[in-house]
Amino acid sequence: MSSSTVITNIAALVTNDPSLGDHSPLGLVRDAAVVIEGDRVVWTGESSKAPATDNRVDAAGRAVLPGFVDSHSHLLFAGDRTEEFNARMSGRPYSAGGIRTTVAATRAASDAELEASLTRYLAEALRQGTTTFETKSGYGLTTADESRALRVAARHTDEVTFLGAHIVAPELADDPAAYVDLVTGEMLDACAPHARWIDVFCEQGAFDGDQARAILTAGRARGLHPRIHANQLSYGPGVQLAVELDAASADHCTHLTDADVDALANSRTVATLLPGAEFSTRAQWPDARRLIDAGATVALSTDCNPGSSFTSSVPFCIALAVRDMGMTPDEAVWSATAGGAAALRREDVGRLVPGAYADLTLLDAPSHVHLAYRPGVPLVAGVWRRGVRKL
């Protein structure tokens, strides 16, 4: 039988269960405790009512919240794009074409080098409170390179996404139809066994609406569920396509019409916002307030990638969302935990309720609000993943 542990003397516990505590979406419980048994939460509530356990951890009046759920990242790559970033910060605009630089470096890397890079960034994210992450292929763009990236990723997460449709491979730049045929045929056959999701960059300079529909529909026929890069750099068909295909998430959502917002609000598709990309490209911020007020479900994620958002820090993204995207601190924390779980169609992460995985983040602060209140400060003092303390 596994041992049980109580984390007690928690000043503020974010459960994301509105039936608990203050009955807000965060289900905030004051002077709280959490009981872990094995890899699951078995009890949450007020400290004075906590059951007896084998072990005890004193939170010393600090805040505890669910581990962050980073539902959009691109961690399978080699090299970096420092020069591109430096040039962009000196006045050159961002476009989709810089991906080719990373494609060349990734193709040249060994499997061992790719895995070492991935585990480095995962450890970095864990230190900042991320306990669940999704990651994509998309920097190989050949059948062999895409499938090996997914095999490496699958050793570290269940949330693996096939993104062969990141951009058209350089060798087929003059024949995008042939590349779509490759992605929906031979490449999909090789990649589907290693992934849960299929994604496409639906944007000028990448794939148009018809191409994106063909790719996502082919993936769905092979058992992969759709998600989509939508409406990042310009208005386009991505959001409407996401809703049409019941995609789990439409990601970026920077340029939205009223019809796009309405479609998201009346669907299961989560609007995943990625403020690190806007920060790193000096682009227009997504309007989270508009989406939330319309009733859409919003997730916050890092979009960690070497070109347009080279951050693994969800706390940083929370601070940006509060400062520049119209979110309250409560909304940003919910979106980075329960919202991310919704974008992955998961109910066993992003919440601290009986039956959920015991994924917890302990802050060196009395409240989750400090994540936005003290931007850039390393507030994560402890992390448990699947019931095991990692930090």
Side-chain angles (χ1 to χ4, degrees), residues 73-138:
S73 74
H74 301 253
L75 299 180
L76 269 300
F77 68 87
D80 75 9
R81 281 148 64 185
T82 303
E83 292 182 6
E84 176 189 323
F85 176 80
N86 194 31
R88 189 164 65 243
M89 293 299 103
S90 303
R92 193 175 81 194
Y94 173 66
S95 68
I99 293 167
R100 295 182 183 88
T101 304
T102 302
V103 169
T106 302
R107 289 178 177 180
S110 68
D111 289 12
E113 288 169 334
L114 280 184
E115 187 152 26
S117 175
L118 173 65
T119 55
R120 170 191 170 193
Y121 296 123
L122 293 183
E124 184 179 278
L126 183 72
R127 291 194 299 270
Q128 298 171 93
T130 297
T131 52
T132 301
F133 75 97
E134 176 271 0
T135 198
K136 310 174 193 297
S137 64

Short mmCIF file of all heavy atoms in Angstrom, two decimals, residues 73-138:
data_model
loop_
_atom_site.label_atom_id
_atom_site.label_comp_id
_atom_site.label_asym_id
_atom_site.label_seq_id
_atom_site.Cartn_x
_atom_site.Cartn_y
_atom_site.Cartn_z
N SER A 73 3.67 23.69 -26.87
CA SER A 73 5.11 23.96 -26.92
C SER A 73 5.73 23.24 -28.11
O SER A 73 5.14 22.32 -28.68
CB SER A 73 5.81 23.53 -25.62
OG SER A 73 5.91 22.12 -25.55
N HIS A 74 6.92 23.70 -28.48
CA HIS A 74 7.68 23.13 -29.61
C HIS A 74 9.09 22.81 -29.10
O HIS A 74 10.03 23.56 -29.35
CB HIS A 74 7.79 24.14 -30.74
CG HIS A 74 6.51 24.64 -31.31
ND1 HIS A 74 6.04 24.27 -32.55
CD2 HIS A 74 5.59 25.53 -30.83
CE1 HIS A 74 4.90 24.90 -32.82
NE2 HIS A 74 4.60 25.67 -31.78
N LEU A 75 9.24 21.74 -28.37
CA LEU A 75 10.50 21.48 -27.67
C LEU A 75 11.43 20.51 -28.40
O LEU A 75 12.53 20.26 -27.92
CB LEU A 75 10.21 20.94 -26.26
CG LEU A 75 9.42 21.87 -25.34
CD1 LEU A 75 9.21 21.23 -23.99
CD2 LEU A 75 10.11 23.22 -25.20
N LEU A 76 11.01 19.99 -29.54
CA LEU A 76 11.85 19.05 -30.28
C LEU A 76 12.59 19.81 -31.37
O LEU A 76 12.13 19.95 -32.51
CB LEU A 76 11.00 17.93 -30.90
CG LEU A 76 10.79 16.67 -30.07
CD1 LEU A 76 12.10 15.97 -29.74
CD2 LEU A 76 10.02 16.97 -28.80
N PHE A 77 13.74 20.38 -31.01
CA PHE A 77 14.51 21.17 -31.97
C PHE A 77 15.97 21.20 -31.56
O PHE A 77 16.34 20.86 -30.44
CB PHE A 77 13.96 22.60 -32.05
CG PHE A 77 14.18 23.42 -30.80
CD1 PHE A 77 15.35 24.14 -30.61
CD2 PHE A 77 13.21 23.46 -29.80
CE1 PHE A 77 15.55 24.89 -29.46
CE2 PHE A 77 13.41 24.20 -28.65
CZ PHE A 77 14.58 24.92 -28.49
N ALA A 78 16.80 21.63 -32.49
CA ALA A 78 18.22 21.86 -32.23
C ALA A 78 18.56 23.29 -32.64
O ALA A 78 17.87 23.90 -33.45
CB ALA A 78 19.08 20.86 -32.99
N GLY A 79 19.64 23.80 -32.07
CA GLY A 79 20.09 25.14 -32.40
C GLY A 79 19.27 26.22 -31.73
O GLY A 79 18.38 25.95 -30.93
N ASP A 80 19.57 27.46 -32.06
CA ASP A 80 18.73 28.57 -31.61
C ASP A 80 18.72 29.63 -32.71
O ASP A 80 19.34 29.46 -33.76
CB ASP A 80 19.18 29.14 -30.26
CG ASP A 80 20.44 29.99 -30.34
OD1 ASP A 80 20.90 30.31 -31.44
OD2 ASP A 80 20.97 30.35 -29.27
N ARG A 81 17.95 30.69 -32.48
CA ARG A 81 17.82 31.74 -33.49
C ARG A 81 18.11 33.11 -32.88
O ARG A 81 17.35 34.07 -33.02
CB ARG A 81 16.44 31.67 -34.14
CG ARG A 81 16.39 30.56 -35.18
CD ARG A 81 15.06 29.89 -35.34
NE ARG A 81 14.02 30.77 -35.83
CZ ARG A 81 12.74 30.39 -35.96
NH1 ARG A 81 12.39 29.14 -35.65
NH2 ARG A 81 11.83 31.22 -36.39
N THR A 82 19.24 33.15 -32.15
CA THR A 82 19.65 34.39 -31.49
C THR A 82 19.78 35.53 -32.49
O THR A 82 19.33 36.66 -32.22
CB THR A 82 20.98 34.17 -30.76
OG1 THR A 82 20.85 33.10 -29.84
CG2 THR A 82 21.42 35.43 -30.04
N GLU A 83 20.41 35.25 -33.62
CA GLU A 83 20.63 36.32 -34.60
C GLU A 83 19.32 36.86 -35.13
O GLU A 83 19.16 38.07 -35.32
CB GLU A 83 21.52 35.81 -35.73
CG GLU A 83 22.95 35.51 -35.31
CD GLU A 83 23.82 35.05 -36.46
OE1 GLU A 83 23.33 35.07 -37.62
OE2 GLU A 83 24.97 34.66 -36.22
N GLU A 84 18.36 35.95 -35.39
CA GLU A 84 17.05 36.38 -35.86
C GLU A 84 16.36 37.27 -34.82
O GLU A 84 15.78 38.31 -35.15
CB GLU A 84 16.19 35.17 -36.17
CG GLU A 84 14.77 35.49 -36.59
CD GLU A 84 13.90 34.25 -36.67
OE1 GLU A 84 14.39 33.19 -37.10
OE2 GLU A 84 12.72 34.35 -36.29
N PHE A 85 16.42 36.85 -33.55
CA PHE A 85 15.79 37.63 -32.49
C PHE A 85 16.45 39.01 -32.39
O PHE A 85 15.76 40.04 -32.29
CB PHE A 85 15.91 36.89 -31.15
CG PHE A 85 15.38 37.67 -29.98
CD1 PHE A 85 14.02 37.72 -29.73
CD2 PHE A 85 16.24 38.37 -29.15
CE1 PHE A 85 13.52 38.45 -28.66
CE2 PHE A 85 15.76 39.10 -28.07
CZ PHE A 85 14.39 39.14 -27.82
N ASN A 86 17.76 39.04 -32.46
CA ASN A 86 18.48 40.30 -32.36
C ASN A 86 18.09 41.24 -33.51
O ASN A 86 17.85 42.44 -33.30
CB ASN A 86 19.98 40.03 -32.37
CG ASN A 86 20.79 41.24 -31.95
OD1 ASN A 86 20.34 42.05 -31.15
ND2 ASN A 86 22.00 41.37 -32.49
N ALA A 87 17.98 40.68 -34.71
CA ALA A 87 17.59 41.49 -35.86
C ALA A 87 16.15 42.00 -35.71
O ALA A 87 15.86 43.15 -36.03
CB ALA A 87 17.73 40.66 -37.14
N ARG A 88 15.27 41.13 -35.21
CA ARG A 88 13.88 41.53 -35.04
C ARG A 88 13.76 42.65 -34.01
O ARG A 88 13.00 43.61 -34.19
CB ARG A 88 13.05 40.32 -34.62
CG ARG A 88 11.56 40.56 -34.62
CD ARG A 88 10.78 39.26 -34.58
NE ARG A 88 10.98 38.51 -33.34
CZ ARG A 88 11.52 37.30 -33.28
NH1 ARG A 88 11.96 36.69 -34.37
NH2 ARG A 88 11.65 36.69 -32.12
N MET A 89 14.50 42.54 -32.93
CA MET A 89 14.46 43.59 -31.92
C MET A 89 15.12 44.88 -32.43
O MET A 89 14.97 45.94 -31.82
CB MET A 89 15.17 43.12 -30.63
CG MET A 89 14.45 41.99 -29.91
SD MET A 89 12.76 42.41 -29.36
CE MET A 89 11.76 41.56 -30.59
N SER A 90 15.81 44.76 -33.56
CA SER A 90 16.42 45.93 -34.18
C SER A 90 15.58 46.47 -35.33
O SER A 90 16.03 47.36 -36.06
CB SER A 90 17.82 45.58 -34.68
OG SER A 90 18.63 45.10 -33.62
N GLY A 91 14.38 45.87 -35.53
CA GLY A 91 13.47 46.47 -36.49
C GLY A 91 12.94 45.60 -37.59
O GLY A 91 12.06 46.02 -38.34
N ARG A 92 13.43 44.35 -37.72
CA ARG A 92 12.92 43.50 -38.79
C ARG A 92 11.65 42.80 -38.35
O ARG A 92 11.62 42.23 -37.25
CB ARG A 92 13.98 42.45 -39.17
CG ARG A 92 13.66 41.71 -40.47
CD ARG A 92 14.81 40.78 -40.85
NE ARG A 92 14.74 39.53 -40.10
CZ ARG A 92 15.73 38.66 -40.00
NH1 ARG A 92 16.90 38.93 -40.57
NH2 ARG A 92 15.59 37.54 -39.31
N PRO A 93 10.59 42.77 -39.14
CA PRO A 93 9.33 42.14 -38.70
C PRO A 93 9.42 40.63 -38.68
O PRO A 93 10.26 40.02 -39.35
CB PRO A 93 8.32 42.62 -39.76
CG PRO A 93 9.14 42.87 -40.98
CD PRO A 93 10.46 43.40 -40.47
N TYR A 94 8.52 40.02 -37.89
CA TYR A 94 8.46 38.56 -37.79
C TYR A 94 7.61 37.99 -38.91
O TYR A 94 6.58 38.54 -39.27
CB TYR A 94 7.85 38.14 -36.44
CG TYR A 94 7.60 36.66 -36.34
CD1 TYR A 94 8.65 35.76 -36.33
CD2 TYR A 94 6.30 36.15 -36.29
CE1 TYR A 94 8.42 34.39 -36.24
CE2 TYR A 94 6.06 34.79 -36.21
CZ TYR A 94 7.13 33.92 -36.18
OH TYR A 94 6.89 32.56 -36.11
N SER A 95 8.05 36.87 -39.48
CA SER A 95 7.23 36.12 -40.45
C SER A 95 7.46 34.64 -40.21
O SER A 95 8.33 34.24 -39.43
CB SER A 95 7.61 36.48 -41.88
OG SER A 95 8.90 36.01 -42.19
N ALA A 96 6.69 33.79 -40.90
CA ALA A 96 6.76 32.35 -40.66
C ALA A 96 8.04 31.72 -41.20
O ALA A 96 8.37 30.59 -40.87
CB ALA A 96 5.54 31.67 -41.29
N GLY A 97 8.79 32.42 -42.04
CA GLY A 97 9.90 31.80 -42.76
C GLY A 97 11.08 31.41 -41.92
O GLY A 97 11.88 30.54 -42.32
N GLY A 98 11.28 32.02 -40.73
CA GLY A 98 12.44 31.70 -39.92
C GLY A 98 12.49 30.27 -39.43
O GLY A 98 13.55 29.79 -38.99
N ILE A 99 11.36 29.58 -39.50
CA ILE A 99 11.31 28.18 -39.08
C ILE A 99 12.34 27.35 -39.84
O ILE A 99 12.90 26.39 -39.30
CB ILE A 99 9.88 27.64 -39.29
CG1 ILE A 99 8.91 28.34 -38.33
CG2 ILE A 99 9.81 26.13 -39.11
CD1 ILE A 99 7.44 28.11 -38.65
N ARG A 100 12.63 27.72 -41.09
CA ARG A 100 13.55 26.92 -41.91
C ARG A 100 14.94 26.82 -41.28
O ARG A 100 15.64 25.82 -41.45
CB ARG A 100 13.64 27.51 -43.32
CG ARG A 100 12.33 27.42 -44.09
CD ARG A 100 12.47 27.98 -45.51
NE ARG A 100 11.19 27.95 -46.20
CZ ARG A 100 10.28 28.92 -46.14
NH1 ARG A 100 10.53 30.01 -45.42
NH2 ARG A 100 9.15 28.81 -46.80
N THR A 101 15.34 27.85 -40.55
CA THR A 101 16.65 27.81 -39.88
C THR A 101 16.69 26.69 -38.86
O THR A 101 17.68 25.94 -38.78
CB THR A 101 16.90 29.16 -39.18
OG1 THR A 101 16.80 30.21 -40.12
CG2 THR A 101 18.27 29.18 -38.52
N THR A 102 15.63 26.56 -38.08
CA THR A 102 15.57 25.49 -37.08
C THR A 102 15.42 24.13 -37.74
O THR A 102 15.95 23.13 -37.23
CB THR A 102 14.42 25.75 -36.10
OG1 THR A 102 14.62 27.03 -35.49
CG2 THR A 102 14.36 24.69 -35.02
N VAL A 103 14.73 24.05 -38.85
CA VAL A 103 14.59 22.78 -39.57
C VAL A 103 15.97 22.25 -39.95
O VAL A 103 16.28 21.07 -39.75
CB VAL A 103 13.70 22.95 -40.82
CG1 VAL A 103 13.78 21.72 -41.72
CG2 VAL A 103 12.25 23.21 -40.40
N ALA A 104 16.82 23.11 -40.48
CA ALA A 104 18.15 22.67 -40.90
C ALA A 104 18.95 22.15 -39.71
O ALA A 104 19.61 21.09 -39.79
CB ALA A 104 18.89 23.81 -41.58
N ALA A 105 18.90 22.87 -38.58
CA ALA A 105 19.66 22.45 -37.40
C ALA A 105 19.10 21.16 -36.82
O ALA A 105 19.85 20.28 -36.37
CB ALA A 105 19.64 23.55 -36.35
N THR A 106 17.80 21.00 -36.83
CA THR A 106 17.16 19.82 -36.24
C THR A 106 17.46 18.58 -37.08
O THR A 106 17.74 17.50 -36.54
CB THR A 106 15.64 20.05 -36.12
OG1 THR A 106 15.42 21.21 -35.32
CG2 THR A 106 14.96 18.84 -35.48
N ARG A 107 17.39 18.72 -38.38
CA ARG A 107 17.72 17.57 -39.25
C ARG A 107 19.15 17.10 -39.03
O ARG A 107 19.44 15.91 -39.11
CB ARG A 107 17.52 17.95 -40.71
CG ARG A 107 16.08 18.11 -41.14
CD ARG A 107 15.99 18.54 -42.60
NE ARG A 107 14.61 18.64 -43.07
CZ ARG A 107 14.27 18.99 -44.31
NH1 ARG A 107 15.23 19.28 -45.19
NH2 ARG A 107 13.00 19.05 -44.66
N ALA A 108 20.05 18.04 -38.73
CA ALA A 108 21.47 17.70 -38.57
C ALA A 108 21.78 17.10 -37.20
O ALA A 108 22.85 16.50 -37.01
CB ALA A 108 22.33 18.94 -38.79
N ALA A 109 20.86 17.21 -36.25
CA ALA A 109 21.11 16.72 -34.90
C ALA A 109 20.86 15.22 -34.81
O ALA A 109 20.02 14.67 -35.52
CB ALA A 109 20.21 17.46 -33.91
N SER A 110 21.56 14.58 -33.88
CA SER A 110 21.34 13.16 -33.62
C SER A 110 20.12 12.99 -32.71
O SER A 110 19.67 13.93 -32.06
CB SER A 110 22.56 12.55 -32.95
OG SER A 110 22.72 13.08 -31.64
N ASP A 111 19.62 11.76 -32.64
CA ASP A 111 18.53 11.47 -31.72
C ASP A 111 18.92 11.83 -30.28
O ASP A 111 18.13 12.39 -29.53
CB ASP A 111 18.14 9.99 -31.78
CG ASP A 111 17.45 9.62 -33.07
OD1 ASP A 111 17.46 10.44 -34.02
OD2 ASP A 111 16.91 8.50 -33.15
N ALA A 112 20.14 11.48 -29.91
CA ALA A 112 20.60 11.74 -28.54
C ALA A 112 20.65 13.23 -28.26
O ALA A 112 20.30 13.69 -27.16
CB ALA A 112 21.98 11.12 -28.32
N GLU A 113 21.07 14.02 -29.25
CA GLU A 113 21.13 15.46 -29.06
C GLU A 113 19.72 16.05 -28.92
O GLU A 113 19.49 16.93 -28.09
CB GLU A 113 21.87 16.10 -30.25
CG GLU A 113 23.37 15.84 -30.23
CD GLU A 113 24.05 16.24 -31.52
OE1 GLU A 113 23.39 16.25 -32.59
OE2 GLU A 113 25.26 16.53 -31.47
N LEU A 114 18.78 15.56 -29.72
CA LEU A 114 17.41 16.04 -29.61
C LEU A 114 16.82 15.72 -28.24
O LEU A 114 16.16 16.54 -27.63
CB LEU A 114 16.54 15.42 -30.70
CG LEU A 114 16.61 16.03 -32.09
CD1 LEU A 114 15.60 15.33 -33.01
CD2 LEU A 114 16.33 17.52 -32.07
N GLU A 115 17.07 14.50 -27.77
CA GLU A 115 16.51 14.11 -26.47
C GLU A 115 17.16 14.89 -25.34
O GLU A 115 16.48 15.29 -24.39
CB GLU A 115 16.65 12.61 -26.25
CG GLU A 115 15.95 12.13 -25.01
CD GLU A 115 15.49 10.69 -25.11
OE1 GLU A 115 16.09 9.92 -25.87
OE2 GLU A 115 14.51 10.34 -24.40
N ALA A 116 18.45 15.13 -25.43
CA ALA A 116 19.13 15.91 -24.39
C ALA A 116 18.58 17.32 -24.34
O ALA A 116 18.38 17.89 -23.26
CB ALA A 116 20.63 15.92 -24.65
N SER A 117 18.32 17.90 -25.49
CA SER A 117 17.74 19.24 -25.54
C SER A 117 16.35 19.24 -24.94
O SER A 117 16.00 20.12 -24.13
CB SER A 117 17.69 19.72 -27.00
OG SER A 117 17.03 20.96 -27.11
N LEU A 118 15.53 18.25 -25.30
CA LEU A 118 14.17 18.16 -24.77
C LEU A 118 14.19 18.05 -23.25
O LEU A 118 13.47 18.79 -22.56
CB LEU A 118 13.46 16.95 -25.37
CG LEU A 118 12.08 16.62 -24.79
CD1 LEU A 118 11.08 17.73 -25.09
CD2 LEU A 118 11.57 15.28 -25.33
N THR A 119 14.98 17.16 -22.71
CA THR A 119 14.98 16.95 -21.26
C THR A 119 15.51 18.18 -20.52
O THR A 119 15.07 18.48 -19.41
CB THR A 119 15.79 15.71 -20.87
OG1 THR A 119 17.13 15.82 -21.40
CG2 THR A 119 15.15 14.45 -21.44
N ARG A 120 16.40 18.91 -21.15
CA ARG A 120 16.89 20.16 -20.55
C ARG A 120 15.74 21.16 -20.39
O ARG A 120 15.56 21.76 -19.32
CB ARG A 120 17.99 20.76 -21.43
CG ARG A 120 18.40 22.17 -21.03
CD ARG A 120 19.29 22.79 -22.09
NE ARG A 120 19.51 24.21 -21.86
CZ ARG A 120 20.03 25.04 -22.75
NH1 ARG A 120 20.38 24.59 -23.94
NH2 ARG A 120 20.20 26.30 -22.46
N TYR A 121 14.95 21.33 -21.43
CA TYR A 121 13.86 22.30 -21.35
C TYR A 121 12.72 21.81 -20.46
O TYR A 121 12.06 22.62 -19.80
CB TYR A 121 13.35 22.65 -22.76
CG TYR A 121 14.41 23.34 -23.59
CD1 TYR A 121 14.81 22.83 -24.81
CD2 TYR A 121 15.04 24.49 -23.12
CE1 TYR A 121 15.80 23.45 -25.56
CE2 TYR A 121 16.03 25.12 -23.85
CZ TYR A 121 16.42 24.59 -25.07
OH TYR A 121 17.41 25.21 -25.80
N LEU A 122 12.53 20.51 -20.40
CA LEU A 122 11.51 19.97 -19.49
C LEU A 122 11.91 20.21 -18.04
O LEU A 122 11.07 20.56 -17.20
CB LEU A 122 11.30 18.48 -19.73
CG LEU A 122 10.68 18.09 -21.07
CD1 LEU A 122 10.48 16.59 -21.13
CD2 LEU A 122 9.37 18.82 -21.28
N ALA A 123 13.18 20.02 -17.72
CA ALA A 123 13.65 20.28 -16.36
C ALA A 123 13.52 21.76 -16.02
O ALA A 123 13.14 22.13 -14.90
CB ALA A 123 15.10 19.83 -16.23
N GLU A 124 13.81 22.61 -16.99
CA GLU A 124 13.66 24.05 -16.81
C GLU A 124 12.21 24.42 -16.52
O GLU A 124 11.92 25.22 -15.62
CB GLU A 124 14.16 24.73 -18.09
CG GLU A 124 14.19 26.23 -18.09
CD GLU A 124 14.71 26.74 -19.43
OE1 GLU A 124 15.95 26.78 -19.60
OE2 GLU A 124 13.89 27.08 -20.31
N ALA A 125 11.29 23.82 -17.27
CA ALA A 125 9.86 24.09 -17.07
C ALA A 125 9.38 23.57 -15.73
O ALA A 125 8.60 24.23 -15.03
CB ALA A 125 9.06 23.46 -18.20
N LEU A 126 9.86 22.39 -15.33
CA LEU A 126 9.45 21.81 -14.05
C LEU A 126 9.85 22.71 -12.90
O LEU A 126 9.08 22.91 -11.95
CB LEU A 126 10.06 20.42 -13.89
CG LEU A 126 9.66 19.66 -12.63
CD1 LEU A 126 8.21 19.19 -12.73
CD2 LEU A 126 10.58 18.46 -12.39
N ARG A 127 11.04 23.28 -12.97
CA ARG A 127 11.49 24.19 -11.90
C ARG A 127 10.59 25.41 -11.78
O ARG A 127 10.58 26.07 -10.75
CB ARG A 127 12.93 24.63 -12.17
CG ARG A 127 13.97 23.55 -12.02
CD ARG A 127 15.38 24.11 -11.94
NE ARG A 127 15.78 24.85 -13.12
CZ ARG A 127 16.37 24.31 -14.19
NH1 ARG A 127 16.59 23.00 -14.23
NH2 ARG A 127 16.73 25.07 -15.21
N GLN A 128 9.82 25.70 -12.83
CA GLN A 128 8.92 26.84 -12.82
C GLN A 128 7.46 26.43 -12.65
O GLN A 128 6.56 27.22 -12.87
CB GLN A 128 9.11 27.65 -14.11
CG GLN A 128 10.52 28.21 -14.22
CD GLN A 128 10.80 28.83 -15.56
OE1 GLN A 128 10.61 30.03 -15.74
NE2 GLN A 128 11.22 28.03 -16.52
N GLY A 129 7.25 25.16 -12.25
CA GLY A 129 5.93 24.73 -11.85
C GLY A 129 5.12 23.98 -12.89
O GLY A 129 3.97 23.62 -12.63
N THR A 130 5.69 23.70 -14.05
CA THR A 130 4.95 22.98 -15.10
C THR A 130 5.05 21.48 -14.86
O THR A 130 6.15 20.92 -14.83
CB THR A 130 5.48 23.33 -16.49
OG1 THR A 130 5.26 24.72 -16.73
CG2 THR A 130 4.76 22.52 -17.56
N THR A 131 3.91 20.82 -14.73
CA THR A 131 3.89 19.38 -14.47
C THR A 131 3.27 18.57 -15.61
O THR A 131 3.41 17.36 -15.65
CB THR A 131 3.12 19.08 -13.17
OG1 THR A 131 1.84 19.71 -13.22
CG2 THR A 131 3.89 19.60 -11.96
N THR A 132 2.55 19.23 -16.51
CA THR A 132 2.00 18.58 -17.70
C THR A 132 2.35 19.44 -18.90
O THR A 132 2.17 20.66 -18.87
CB THR A 132 0.46 18.45 -17.62
OG1 THR A 132 0.12 17.69 -16.47
CG2 THR A 132 -0.09 17.76 -18.86
N PHE A 133 2.84 18.81 -19.96
CA PHE A 133 3.15 19.59 -21.15
C PHE A 133 2.80 18.81 -22.41
O PHE A 133 2.85 17.59 -22.45
CB PHE A 133 4.64 19.99 -21.18
CG PHE A 133 5.57 18.87 -21.56
CD1 PHE A 133 6.02 18.73 -22.86
CD2 PHE A 133 5.96 17.93 -20.62
CE1 PHE A 133 6.86 17.68 -23.21
CE2 PHE A 133 6.80 16.88 -20.96
CZ PHE A 133 7.26 16.76 -22.26
N GLU A 134 2.42 19.57 -23.41
CA GLU A 134 2.25 19.08 -24.77
C GLU A 134 3.43 19.55 -25.56
O GLU A 134 3.94 20.65 -25.33
CB GLU A 134 0.95 19.65 -25.35
CG GLU A 134 0.68 19.30 -26.81
CD GLU A 134 1.25 20.28 -27.81
OE1 GLU A 134 1.90 21.28 -27.39
OE2 GLU A 134 1.07 20.06 -29.02
N THR A 135 3.89 18.73 -26.52
CA THR A 135 4.92 19.22 -27.43
C THR A 135 4.71 18.63 -28.81
O THR A 135 4.08 17.59 -28.97
CB THR A 135 6.34 18.94 -26.89
OG1 THR A 135 7.27 19.79 -27.58
CG2 THR A 135 6.74 17.48 -27.05
N LYS A 136 5.28 19.32 -29.79
CA LYS A 136 5.00 19.03 -31.19
C LYS A 136 6.28 18.68 -31.95
O LYS A 136 7.37 19.12 -31.58
CB LYS A 136 4.38 20.26 -31.87
CG LYS A 136 3.20 20.88 -31.12
CD LYS A 136 2.75 22.18 -31.78
CE LYS A 136 1.80 22.95 -30.87
NZ LYS A 136 0.55 22.23 -30.61
N SER A 137 6.09 17.96 -33.05
CA SER A 137 7.13 17.88 -34.06
C SER A 137 7.03 19.16 -34.90
O SER A 137 6.47 20.14 -34.46
CB SER A 137 6.94 16.63 -34.91
OG SER A 137 5.72 16.69 -35.64
N GLY A 138 7.60 19.16 -36.09
CA GLY A 138 7.44 20.32 -36.95
C GLY A 138 8.73 20.97 -37.38
O GLY A 138 8.71 21.92 -38.18
#
